[in-house]
Amino acid sequence: MAKVSFNEDRCKGCGLCVSVCPKGIVSLAKDKINAKGYHPAGVIEQDKCIGCASCALMCPDTVITVER
Amino acid sequence: MVVFEKTKGLTDAPLHYCPGCTHGIIHRLVAESLAELGVLDKTVGIASVGCSVFSYNYFNCDMIQAAHGRAPAVATGAKRANPEKIVFTYQGDGDLAAIGTAETVHAAARNENITIIFVNNAIYGMTGGQMAPTTLPNQITQTSPYGRDTTVVGYPVKVCEMLSEITGASYLERVAVNNVKNIRAAKKAIKHAFENQIAGKGFSLIEVLSTCPTNWGLSPEEAIKWLDENMETYYPLGVYKDKYKEEK
Amino acid sequence: MSEKVLMKGNEALAEAAIMAGCRHYFGYPITPQTEVAAYMAKRMPKIGGTFLQAESEVAAINMVLGAAACGVRAMTSSSSPGISLKSEGISYMAGCELPALIVNVQRGGPGLGGIQPSQSDYFQATKGGGHGDYHLIVLAPASVQEMFDMTFKGFNLADKYRVPAMILADGTMGQMMEPVSLDASTIETYEKPWATTGTAEHEGRNVINSLSLSPAQLEQWNISRYERYAAIEKDEVMYEEFMMDDAEICVVAFGIAARVSKNAIVEARKRGLKVGMIRPITLWPFPKAVLNKAADKVKAFLSVELNMGQMVDDVKLATGCKKPVYFYGRTGGVIMTPEEVLSALTKIEKGEAKQW
């Protein structure tokens, strides 16, 4: 059971995590704005996550924690 | 089980870098390496001048902020005063390859037992996007508005290639942080550079190709693509020197 | 009291630095200070210290900065053009509040100037040199013995106040040989909890830095440093008074100019001229109070310098322009003779001299 969580307040909405997710499940929440004023990244379909940590490796702002 | 979380090698301070700027990735790789090698509490980092000037707020170790280009000299003083400590510099291309060329070359010539993290994004970021010593031919910047004209301002400096001719230098590798595979390789190189220092093997410099979406005028994703297509061809990745490879 | 040995000023200074606990010297060759580097190159490897000939003066001062940040006693030495190059690093060290010793064995300037003795870096040493609101503690030895003693003093004061200290010598002080007693002066040691020695050795992270993008914070840093400067001005002024008891003309001179002036004063006394001297040993802090007090007694001041009159303004300010201030100086590497100083004194006495 893989789980990926986002520290949304650190996110700058750059979308690099979105671009590297092999399952295509990371997206920017267009309906949300965080404290910094960005649309933060997140995952809705957690069950599809394989815990590869690609998103976390690509994230410049250490927003992402991955568990497996 | 946690397979990935923020390293304790970084402080909790949010990074000031622009969205999608890959400085953050490089910071993390350095911090993870120091933490994993168990040397964080005996490390002295040297911040430089440029976008990474505030790195003293981010690396969770003692830090010294150096004048523009002088980080290798400051690191030399720190290392000579504290030979048992781990000393690294974190410098951009303007800092290292323009104003600090002499300090870089001579630290390499002395095989100074320090680690240099050299972030090459082909532009001056902090001052708003001027031509760097590493700006590519024909690349448009604020001070090369018609593209870098090599007949007027010459060609980019290839730091790893240049330093590879210096007898003293121990380990030189160019990496990039434009995809997951390259990030893993970059981490390995950075860690190896610190291992070299711990083993007393002397001067290591890791050149990291990085993006500057803001001053390149591209989205973060486009910037990654621009790095793939332009920088990697001009600045080939790879090990340029590893004096102690055979011993490994 | 140990026996005296005959030594060159530059070598006495270098030996004093080692005796004062300095094990990190970073330099670059330039005349007329090179003996300091040569001495360090010989001695440091034998005592487990670091002598490093840097790629430039710029690099050398930044190596000093790095070593000083890690809490050790570090130093560099150079001569005038080299100090101009070091000024960037000196400003950073002042901003970072790092103690270290910088030695300037002055030569003529500006530009490449010459290699003969000069005191024409007075402005540079006492008024800044680099950018920003800062001072250095500036010590001006006038003998080989003082080259030795002031080196201890410089390290001690630098550590005590976290302010870089400079020895402002000149080519004669560096090159001349005199008997010197190598008794170790007092070594004061100060805790350096701010040093970047790794977080294993202290609470929290130590950051050595001169940058703040907050004007209010940067102002506060400067104000708090100036509070320390005020303490230095209050407690650390050093000067020598020579024949001042009944003096009517007061010579103000430092370094070699003071040595020459002493001879002139002795001769003047023989001729009935009541002349004395106040010799600043600290050029910053400047001995303002003693000069101001002297202004109530004497008729005139004569500033004698190996430059075009860089200290005169300070003498006028210190004395509140209560009495006329005159100037006699030679520059470009020319050293005045006692006769020339005597002649300047005679002119003042006769009312023939022109005020500054």
PDB file of all heavy atoms in Angstrom, chain B residues 41 56 59-63 65 67 70 73-74 77 80 82 85 103 110, chain C residues 24 55 58 63 88 196-202 205-209:
ATOM      1  N   ASP B  41      26.768  17.279  11.290  1.00  0.00           N
ATOM      2  CA  ASP B  41      27.130  18.080  12.468  1.00  0.00           C
ATOM      3  C   ASP B  41      28.608  18.450  12.513  1.00  0.00           C
ATOM      4  O   ASP B  41      29.068  19.085  13.452  1.00  0.00           O
ATOM      5  CB  ASP B  41      26.694  17.379  13.763  1.00  0.00           C
ATOM      6  CG  ASP B  41      27.429  16.079  13.996  1.00  0.00           C
ATOM      7  OD1 ASP B  41      28.213  15.666  13.116  1.00  0.00           O
ATOM      8  OD2 ASP B  41      27.218  15.460  15.056  1.00  0.00           O
ATOM      9  N   TYR B  56      22.543  29.682   3.127  1.00  0.00           N
ATOM     10  CA  TYR B  56      22.897  29.560   4.555  1.00  0.00           C
ATOM     11  C   TYR B  56      21.663  29.426   5.440  1.00  0.00           C
ATOM     12  O   TYR B  56      21.758  29.023   6.587  1.00  0.00           O
ATOM     13  CB  TYR B  56      23.787  30.716   5.019  1.00  0.00           C
ATOM     14  CG  TYR B  56      23.195  32.112   4.882  1.00  0.00           C
ATOM     15  CD1 TYR B  56      22.252  32.595   5.779  1.00  0.00           C
ATOM     16  CD2 TYR B  56      23.594  32.947   3.842  1.00  0.00           C
ATOM     17  CE1 TYR B  56      21.717  33.868   5.652  1.00  0.00           C
ATOM     18  CE2 TYR B  56      23.070  34.222   3.699  1.00  0.00           C
ATOM     19  CZ  TYR B  56      22.120  34.678   4.609  1.00  0.00           C
ATOM     20  OH  TYR B  56      21.589  35.929   4.478  1.00  0.00           O
ATOM     21  N   PHE B  59      20.710  24.958   4.442  1.00  0.00           N
ATOM     22  CA  PHE B  59      21.506  23.789   4.840  1.00  0.00           C
ATOM     23  C   PHE B  59      21.584  23.754   6.366  1.00  0.00           C
ATOM     24  O   PHE B  59      21.924  24.748   7.005  1.00  0.00           O
ATOM     25  CB  PHE B  59      22.908  23.844   4.227  1.00  0.00           C
ATOM     26  CG  PHE B  59      22.900  23.653   2.736  1.00  0.00           C
ATOM     27  CD1 PHE B  59      23.280  24.673   1.878  1.00  0.00           C
ATOM     28  CD2 PHE B  59      22.476  22.447   2.191  1.00  0.00           C
ATOM     29  CE1 PHE B  59      23.256  24.499   0.498  1.00  0.00           C
ATOM     30  CE2 PHE B  59      22.448  22.261   0.810  1.00  0.00           C
ATOM     31  CZ  PHE B  59      22.838  23.287  -0.035  1.00  0.00           C
ATOM     32  N   ASN B  60      21.252  22.596   6.898  1.00  0.00           N
ATOM     33  CA  ASN B  60      21.142  22.466   8.352  1.00  0.00           C
ATOM     34  C   ASN B  60      22.506  22.170   8.983  1.00  0.00           C
ATOM     35  O   ASN B  60      22.690  21.150   9.655  1.00  0.00           O
ATOM     36  CB  ASN B  60      20.132  21.359   8.677  1.00  0.00           C
ATOM     37  CG  ASN B  60      19.635  21.454  10.113  1.00  0.00           C
ATOM     38  OD1 ASN B  60      19.907  22.434  10.801  1.00  0.00           O
ATOM     39  ND2 ASN B  60      18.934  20.435  10.555  1.00  0.00           N
ATOM     40  N   CYS B  61      23.440  23.062   8.723  1.00  0.00           N
ATOM     41  CA  CYS B  61      24.782  22.925   9.285  1.00  0.00           C
ATOM     42  C   CYS B  61      25.347  24.329   9.443  1.00  0.00           C
ATOM     43  O   CYS B  61      24.705  25.299   9.051  1.00  0.00           O
ATOM     44  CB  CYS B  61      25.672  22.087   8.360  1.00  0.00           C
ATOM     45  SG  CYS B  61      25.810  22.740   6.694  1.00  0.00           S
ATOM     46  N   ASP B  62      26.533  24.435   9.992  1.00  0.00           N
ATOM     47  CA  ASP B  62      27.169  25.746  10.089  1.00  0.00           C
ATOM     48  C   ASP B  62      27.438  26.278   8.681  1.00  0.00           C
ATOM     49  O   ASP B  62      27.794  25.504   7.778  1.00  0.00           O
ATOM     50  CB  ASP B  62      28.490  25.638  10.864  1.00  0.00           C
ATOM     51  CG  ASP B  62      28.260  25.606  12.377  1.00  0.00           C
ATOM     52  OD1 ASP B  62      27.079  25.668  12.788  1.00  0.00           O
ATOM     53  OD2 ASP B  62      29.250  25.522  13.126  1.00  0.00           O
ATOM     54  N   MET B  63      27.285  27.573   8.526  1.00  0.00           N
ATOM     55  CA  MET B  63      27.448  28.169   7.195  1.00  0.00           C
ATOM     56  C   MET B  63      28.226  29.481   7.282  1.00  0.00           C
ATOM     57  O   MET B  63      28.131  30.212   8.261  1.00  0.00           O
ATOM     58  CB  MET B  63      26.085  28.464   6.559  1.00  0.00           C
ATOM     59  CG  MET B  63      25.201  27.255   6.252  1.00  0.00           C
ATOM     60  SD  MET B  63      25.791  26.205   4.889  1.00  0.00           S
ATOM     61  CE  MET B  63      25.685  27.299   3.479  1.00  0.00           C
ATOM     62  N   GLN B  65      28.855  32.889   4.750  1.00  0.00           N
ATOM     63  CA  GLN B  65      28.456  33.547   3.504  1.00  0.00           C
ATOM     64  C   GLN B  65      29.684  34.257   2.928  1.00  0.00           C
ATOM     65  O   GLN B  65      30.290  35.086   3.597  1.00  0.00           O
ATOM     66  CB  GLN B  65      27.323  34.537   3.797  1.00  0.00           C
ATOM     67  CG  GLN B  65      26.439  34.836   2.592  1.00  0.00           C
ATOM     68  CD  GLN B  65      27.156  35.654   1.559  1.00  0.00           C
ATOM     69  OE1 GLN B  65      27.770  36.642   1.877  1.00  0.00           O
ATOM     70  NE2 GLN B  65      27.097  35.224   0.316  1.00  0.00           N
ATOM     71  N   ALA B  67      31.966  36.374  -0.201  1.00  0.00           N
ATOM     72  CA  ALA B  67      31.841  37.398  -1.248  1.00  0.00           C
ATOM     73  C   ALA B  67      31.768  36.721  -2.618  1.00  0.00           C
ATOM     74  O   ALA B  67      32.124  35.549  -2.777  1.00  0.00           O
ATOM     75  CB  ALA B  67      33.036  38.354  -1.191  1.00  0.00           C
ATOM     76  N   ARG B  70      34.359  34.198  -4.173  1.00  0.00           N
ATOM     77  CA  ARG B  70      35.454  33.886  -3.249  1.00  0.00           C
ATOM     78  C   ARG B  70      35.235  32.619  -2.425  1.00  0.00           C
ATOM     79  O   ARG B  70      36.063  32.287  -1.564  1.00  0.00           O
ATOM     80  CB  ARG B  70      35.702  35.053  -2.289  1.00  0.00           C
ATOM     81  CG  ARG B  70      35.708  36.424  -2.922  1.00  0.00           C
ATOM     82  CD  ARG B  70      36.778  36.604  -3.969  1.00  0.00           C
ATOM     83  NE  ARG B  70      36.649  37.893  -4.613  1.00  0.00           N
ATOM     84  CZ  ARG B  70      36.814  38.120  -5.908  1.00  0.00           C
ATOM     85  NH1 ARG B  70      37.126  37.127  -6.725  1.00  0.00           N
ATOM     86  NH2 ARG B  70      36.673  39.317  -6.414  1.00  0.00           N
ATOM     87  N   ALA B  73      38.084  30.201  -1.817  1.00  0.00           N
ATOM     88  CA  ALA B  73      39.133  30.731  -0.936  1.00  0.00           C
ATOM     89  C   ALA B  73      38.667  30.663   0.517  1.00  0.00           C
ATOM     90  O   ALA B  73      39.425  30.257   1.400  1.00  0.00           O
ATOM     91  CB  ALA B  73      39.488  32.163  -1.317  1.00  0.00           C
ATOM     92  N   VAL B  74      37.420  31.036   0.756  1.00  0.00           N
ATOM     93  CA  VAL B  74      36.877  30.951   2.118  1.00  0.00           C
ATOM     94  C   VAL B  74      36.885  29.493   2.573  1.00  0.00           C
ATOM     95  O   VAL B  74      37.271  29.176   3.707  1.00  0.00           O
ATOM     96  CB  VAL B  74      35.452  31.544   2.179  1.00  0.00           C
ATOM     97  CG1 VAL B  74      34.833  31.301   3.549  1.00  0.00           C
ATOM     98  CG2 VAL B  74      35.482  33.041   1.860  1.00  0.00           C
ATOM     99  N   GLY B  77      40.339  28.444   3.621  1.00  0.00           N
ATOM    100  CA  GLY B  77      40.663  28.897   4.978  1.00  0.00           C
ATOM    101  C   GLY B  77      39.968  28.057   6.027  1.00  0.00           C
ATOM    102  O   GLY B  77      40.569  27.665   7.034  1.00  0.00           O
ATOM    103  N   ARG B  80      41.537  24.518   6.131  1.00  0.00           N
ATOM    104  CA  ARG B  80      42.869  24.512   6.744  1.00  0.00           C
ATOM    105  C   ARG B  80      42.784  24.724   8.258  1.00  0.00           C
ATOM    106  O   ARG B  80      43.614  24.209   9.006  1.00  0.00           O
ATOM    107  CB  ARG B  80      43.748  25.598   6.121  1.00  0.00           C
ATOM    108  CG  ARG B  80      43.983  25.432   4.625  1.00  0.00           C
ATOM    109  CD  ARG B  80      44.922  24.281   4.335  1.00  0.00           C
ATOM    110  NE  ARG B  80      45.088  24.106   2.895  1.00  0.00           N
ATOM    111  CZ  ARG B  80      46.267  23.994   2.282  1.00  0.00           C
ATOM    112  NH1 ARG B  80      47.377  24.010   2.977  1.00  0.00           N
ATOM    113  NH2 ARG B  80      46.329  23.816   0.979  1.00  0.00           N
ATOM    114  N   ASN B  82      40.183  23.767  10.032  1.00  0.00           N
ATOM    115  CA  ASN B  82      39.406  22.646  10.554  1.00  0.00           C
ATOM    116  C   ASN B  82      39.544  21.434   9.644  1.00  0.00           C
ATOM    117  O   ASN B  82      38.573  21.012   9.022  1.00  0.00           O
ATOM    118  CB  ASN B  82      37.908  23.022  10.545  1.00  0.00           C
ATOM    119  CG  ASN B  82      37.455  23.678  11.818  1.00  0.00           C
ATOM    120  OD1 ASN B  82      38.013  23.469  12.877  1.00  0.00           O
ATOM    121  ND2 ASN B  82      36.401  24.454  11.682  1.00  0.00           N
ATOM    122  N   LYS B  85      36.929  18.726   9.553  1.00  0.00           N
ATOM    123  CA  LYS B  85      35.541  19.062   9.222  1.00  0.00           C
ATOM    124  C   LYS B  85      35.305  18.901   7.720  1.00  0.00           C
ATOM    125  O   LYS B  85      36.235  18.886   6.929  1.00  0.00           O
ATOM    126  CB  LYS B  85      35.225  20.508   9.655  1.00  0.00           C
ATOM    127  CG  LYS B  85      35.423  20.758  11.152  1.00  0.00           C
ATOM    128  CD  LYS B  85      34.314  20.140  11.950  1.00  0.00           C
ATOM    129  CE  LYS B  85      34.582  19.918  13.420  1.00  0.00           C
ATOM    130  NZ  LYS B  85      35.367  20.869  14.158  1.00  0.00           N
ATOM    131  N   GLU B 103      39.874  31.665  -8.105  1.00  0.00           N
ATOM    132  CA  GLU B 103      39.745  30.920  -6.848  1.00  0.00           C
ATOM    133  C   GLU B 103      39.420  29.442  -7.128  1.00  0.00           C
ATOM    134  O   GLU B 103      39.917  28.546  -6.445  1.00  0.00           O
ATOM    135  CB  GLU B 103      38.648  31.534  -5.971  1.00  0.00           C
ATOM    136  CG  GLU B 103      39.055  32.833  -5.273  1.00  0.00           C
ATOM    137  CD  GLU B 103      38.994  34.056  -6.176  1.00  0.00           C
ATOM    138  OE1 GLU B 103      38.633  33.924  -7.361  1.00  0.00           O
ATOM    139  OE2 GLU B 103      39.320  35.159  -5.700  1.00  0.00           O
ATOM    140  N   ARG B 110      45.563  23.144  -6.090  1.00  0.00           N
ATOM    141  CA  ARG B 110      46.115  22.735  -4.784  1.00  0.00           C
ATOM    142  C   ARG B 110      45.543  21.400  -4.332  1.00  0.00           C
ATOM    143  O   ARG B 110      45.920  20.882  -3.288  1.00  0.00           O
ATOM    144  CB  ARG B 110      45.780  23.790  -3.712  1.00  0.00           C
ATOM    145  CG  ARG B 110      46.496  25.110  -3.837  1.00  0.00           C
ATOM    146  CD  ARG B 110      46.274  25.955  -2.592  1.00  0.00           C
ATOM    147  NE  ARG B 110      44.871  26.241  -2.347  1.00  0.00           N
ATOM    148  CZ  ARG B 110      44.219  27.318  -2.775  1.00  0.00           C
ATOM    149  NH1 ARG B 110      44.845  28.220  -3.484  1.00  0.00           N
ATOM    150  NH2 ARG B 110      42.951  27.506  -2.498  1.00  0.00           N
TER     151      ARG B 110
ATOM    152  N   HIS C  24      47.692  30.168  11.226  1.00  0.00           N
ATOM    153  CA  HIS C  24      47.137  30.220   9.870  1.00  0.00           C
ATOM    154  C   HIS C  24      47.480  31.541   9.215  1.00  0.00           C
ATOM    155  O   HIS C  24      46.929  32.583   9.557  1.00  0.00           O
ATOM    156  CB  HIS C  24      45.625  29.989   9.910  1.00  0.00           C
ATOM    157  CG  HIS C  24      45.286  28.602  10.367  1.00  0.00           C
ATOM    158  ND1 HIS C  24      45.193  28.269  11.702  1.00  0.00           N
ATOM    159  CD2 HIS C  24      45.080  27.465   9.673  1.00  0.00           C
ATOM    160  CE1 HIS C  24      44.935  26.971  11.794  1.00  0.00           C
ATOM    161  NE2 HIS C  24      44.846  26.464  10.588  1.00  0.00           N
ATOM    162  N   GLU C  55      46.580  32.595  -4.558  1.00  0.00           N
ATOM    163  CA  GLU C  55      46.673  32.988  -5.970  1.00  0.00           C
ATOM    164  C   GLU C  55      46.560  34.497  -6.147  1.00  0.00           C
ATOM    165  O   GLU C  55      46.824  35.026  -7.222  1.00  0.00           O
ATOM    166  CB  GLU C  55      45.609  32.270  -6.801  1.00  0.00           C
ATOM    167  CG  GLU C  55      44.165  32.495  -6.367  1.00  0.00           C
ATOM    168  CD  GLU C  55      43.692  31.475  -5.332  1.00  0.00           C
ATOM    169  OE1 GLU C  55      44.530  30.939  -4.581  1.00  0.00           O
ATOM    170  OE2 GLU C  55      42.476  31.226  -5.274  1.00  0.00           O
ATOM    171  N   VAL C  58      43.300  38.931  -3.057  1.00  0.00           N
ATOM    172  CA  VAL C  58      41.853  38.755  -2.873  1.00  0.00           C
ATOM    173  C   VAL C  58      41.576  37.380  -2.255  1.00  0.00           C
ATOM    174  O   VAL C  58      40.807  37.243  -1.303  1.00  0.00           O
ATOM    175  CB  VAL C  58      41.117  38.898  -4.224  1.00  0.00           C
ATOM    176  CG1 VAL C  58      39.635  38.619  -4.058  1.00  0.00           C
ATOM    177  CG2 VAL C  58      41.340  40.284  -4.811  1.00  0.00           C
ATOM    178  N   MET C  63      40.716  33.605   2.468  1.00  0.00           N
ATOM    179  CA  MET C  63      41.163  32.435   3.223  1.00  0.00           C
ATOM    180  C   MET C  63      41.239  32.803   4.708  1.00  0.00           C
ATOM    181  O   MET C  63      40.842  32.020   5.573  1.00  0.00           O
ATOM    182  CB  MET C  63      42.531  31.960   2.717  1.00  0.00           C
ATOM    183  CG  MET C  63      42.452  31.350   1.331  1.00  0.00           C
ATOM    184  SD  MET C  63      44.103  31.045   0.655  1.00  0.00           S
ATOM    185  CE  MET C  63      43.672  30.486  -0.993  1.00  0.00           C
ATOM    186  N   GLU C  88      38.041  44.412  -0.210  1.00  0.00           N
ATOM    187  CA  GLU C  88      36.745  43.734  -0.313  1.00  0.00           C
ATOM    188  C   GLU C  88      36.568  42.759   0.866  1.00  0.00           C
ATOM    189  O   GLU C  88      35.585  42.811   1.600  1.00  0.00           O
ATOM    190  CB  GLU C  88      36.660  42.957  -1.625  1.00  0.00           C
ATOM    191  CG  GLU C  88      35.391  42.132  -1.746  1.00  0.00           C
ATOM    192  CD  GLU C  88      35.503  41.017  -2.787  1.00  0.00           C
ATOM    193  OE1 GLU C  88      36.432  40.185  -2.692  1.00  0.00           O
ATOM    194  OE2 GLU C  88      34.652  40.970  -3.680  1.00  0.00           O
ATOM    195  N   THR C 196      32.187  28.776  13.269  1.00  0.00           N
ATOM    196  CA  THR C 196      31.607  27.678  12.484  1.00  0.00           C
ATOM    197  C   THR C 196      32.507  26.457  12.590  1.00  0.00           C
ATOM    198  O   THR C 196      33.374  26.226  11.743  1.00  0.00           O
ATOM    199  CB  THR C 196      31.447  28.090  11.012  1.00  0.00           C
ATOM    200  OG1 THR C 196      32.688  28.645  10.556  1.00  0.00           O
ATOM    201  CG2 THR C 196      30.361  29.134  10.843  1.00  0.00           C
ATOM    202  N   THR C 197      32.275  25.694  13.637  1.00  0.00           N
ATOM    203  CA  THR C 197      33.093  24.512  13.889  1.00  0.00           C
ATOM    204  C   THR C 197      32.269  23.229  13.775  1.00  0.00           C
ATOM    205  O   THR C 197      32.708  22.170  14.188  1.00  0.00           O
ATOM    206  CB  THR C 197      33.697  24.601  15.295  1.00  0.00           C
ATOM    207  OG1 THR C 197      32.634  24.919  16.214  1.00  0.00           O
ATOM    208  CG2 THR C 197      34.757  25.685  15.382  1.00  0.00           C
ATOM    209  N   GLY C 198      31.059  23.358  13.225  1.00  0.00           N
ATOM    210  CA  GLY C 198      30.181  22.199  13.146  1.00  0.00           C
ATOM    211  C   GLY C 198      29.210  22.184  14.310  1.00  0.00           C
ATOM    212  O   GLY C 198      29.576  22.536  15.440  1.00  0.00           O
ATOM    213  N   THR C 199      27.979  21.779  14.038  1.00  0.00           N
ATOM    214  CA  THR C 199      26.936  21.873  15.067  1.00  0.00           C
ATOM    215  C   THR C 199      27.149  20.885  16.213  1.00  0.00           C
ATOM    216  O   THR C 199      26.525  21.006  17.260  1.00  0.00           O
ATOM    217  CB  THR C 199      25.535  21.655  14.458  1.00  0.00           C
ATOM    218  OG1 THR C 199      25.554  20.415  13.744  1.00  0.00           O
ATOM    219  CG2 THR C 199      25.149  22.779  13.518  1.00  0.00           C
ATOM    220  N   ALA C 200      28.047  19.916  16.009  1.00  0.00           N
ATOM    221  CA  ALA C 200      28.339  18.984  17.104  1.00  0.00           C
ATOM    222  C   ALA C 200      29.011  19.717  18.266  1.00  0.00           C
ATOM    223  O   ALA C 200      28.967  19.260  19.403  1.00  0.00           O
ATOM    224  CB  ALA C 200      29.246  17.861  16.608  1.00  0.00           C
ATOM    225  N   GLU C 201      29.627  20.849  17.954  1.00  0.00           N
ATOM    226  CA  GLU C 201      30.420  21.536  18.982  1.00  0.00           C
ATOM    227  C   GLU C 201      29.715  22.708  19.647  1.00  0.00           C
ATOM    228  O   GLU C 201      30.296  23.385  20.481  1.00  0.00           O
ATOM    229  CB  GLU C 201      31.757  21.994  18.375  1.00  0.00           C
ATOM    230  CG  GLU C 201      32.611  20.804  17.956  1.00  0.00           C
ATOM    231  CD  GLU C 201      33.999  21.187  17.493  1.00  0.00           C
ATOM    232  OE1 GLU C 201      34.435  22.312  17.773  1.00  0.00           O
ATOM    233  OE2 GLU C 201      34.637  20.332  16.853  1.00  0.00           O
ATOM    234  N   HIS C 202      28.497  22.989  19.230  1.00  0.00           N
ATOM    235  CA  HIS C 202      27.795  24.105  19.865  1.00  0.00           C
ATOM    236  C   HIS C 202      26.287  23.958  19.672  1.00  0.00           C
ATOM    237  O   HIS C 202      25.827  23.147  18.865  1.00  0.00           O
ATOM    238  CB  HIS C 202      28.284  25.445  19.309  1.00  0.00           C
ATOM    239  CG  HIS C 202      28.313  25.501  17.804  1.00  0.00           C
ATOM    240  ND1 HIS C 202      27.181  25.665  17.047  1.00  0.00           N
ATOM    241  CD2 HIS C 202      29.333  25.383  16.921  1.00  0.00           C
ATOM    242  CE1 HIS C 202      27.512  25.668  15.763  1.00  0.00           C
ATOM    243  NE2 HIS C 202      28.801  25.489  15.656  1.00  0.00           N
ATOM    244  N   ARG C 205      22.752  26.202  14.920  1.00  0.00           N
ATOM    245  CA  ARG C 205      23.621  26.441  13.767  1.00  0.00           C
ATOM    246  C   ARG C 205      24.326  27.778  13.910  1.00  0.00           C
ATOM    247  O   ARG C 205      23.707  28.769  14.280  1.00  0.00           O
ATOM    248  CB  ARG C 205      22.793  26.504  12.477  1.00  0.00           C
ATOM    249  CG  ARG C 205      22.166  25.199  12.072  1.00  0.00           C
ATOM    250  CD  ARG C 205      21.628  25.263  10.650  1.00  0.00           C
ATOM    251  NE  ARG C 205      20.907  26.469  10.319  1.00  0.00           N
ATOM    252  CZ  ARG C 205      21.188  27.247   9.273  1.00  0.00           C
ATOM    253  NH1 ARG C 205      22.172  26.943   8.452  1.00  0.00           N
ATOM    254  NH2 ARG C 205      20.471  28.319   9.027  1.00  0.00           N
ATOM    255  N   ASN C 206      25.612  27.811  13.603  1.00  0.00           N
ATOM    256  CA  ASN C 206      26.317  29.095  13.527  1.00  0.00           C
ATOM    257  C   ASN C 206      26.403  29.537  12.080  1.00  0.00           C
ATOM    258  O   ASN C 206      26.799  28.746  11.213  1.00  0.00           O
ATOM    259  CB  ASN C 206      27.717  28.980  14.125  1.00  0.00           C
ATOM    260  CG  ASN C 206      27.692  29.017  15.641  1.00  0.00           C
ATOM    261  OD1 ASN C 206      26.666  29.340  16.244  1.00  0.00           O
ATOM    262  ND2 ASN C 206      28.807  28.675  16.266  1.00  0.00           N
ATOM    263  N   VAL C 207      26.016  30.776  11.832  1.00  0.00           N
ATOM    264  CA  VAL C 207      26.070  31.320  10.475  1.00  0.00           C
ATOM    265  C   VAL C 207      26.873  32.613  10.517  1.00  0.00           C
ATOM    266  O   VAL C 207      26.583  33.510  11.308  1.00  0.00           O
ATOM    267  CB  VAL C 207      24.653  31.589   9.920  1.00  0.00           C
ATOM    268  CG1 VAL C 207      24.732  32.254   8.548  1.00  0.00           C
ATOM    269  CG2 VAL C 207      23.844  30.287   9.836  1.00  0.00           C
ATOM    270  N   ILE C 208      27.907  32.663   9.705  1.00  0.00           N
ATOM    271  CA  ILE C 208      28.735  33.869   9.601  1.00  0.00           C
ATOM    272  C   ILE C 208      28.296  34.597   8.333  1.00  0.00           C
ATOM    273  O   ILE C 208      28.414  34.067   7.233  1.00  0.00           O
ATOM    274  CB  ILE C 208      30.236  33.494   9.498  1.00  0.00           C
ATOM    275  CG1 ILE C 208      30.687  32.731  10.742  1.00  0.00           C
ATOM    276  CG2 ILE C 208      31.093  34.732   9.257  1.00  0.00           C
ATOM    277  CD1 ILE C 208      30.737  33.527  12.013  1.00  0.00           C
ATOM    278  N   ASN C 209      27.799  35.802   8.493  1.00  0.00           N
ATOM    279  CA  ASN C 209      27.118  36.436   7.380  1.00  0.00           C
ATOM    280  C   ASN C 209      27.108  37.950   7.542  1.00  0.00           C
ATOM    281  O   ASN C 209      27.010  38.460   8.647  1.00  0.00           O
ATOM    282  CB  ASN C 209      25.673  35.904   7.369  1.00  0.00           C
ATOM    283  CG  ASN C 209      24.808  36.597   6.354  1.00  0.00           C
ATOM    284  OD1 ASN C 209      25.266  36.936   5.266  1.00  0.00           O
ATOM    285  ND2 ASN C 209      23.552  36.815   6.695  1.00  0.00           N
TER     286      ASN C 209
END
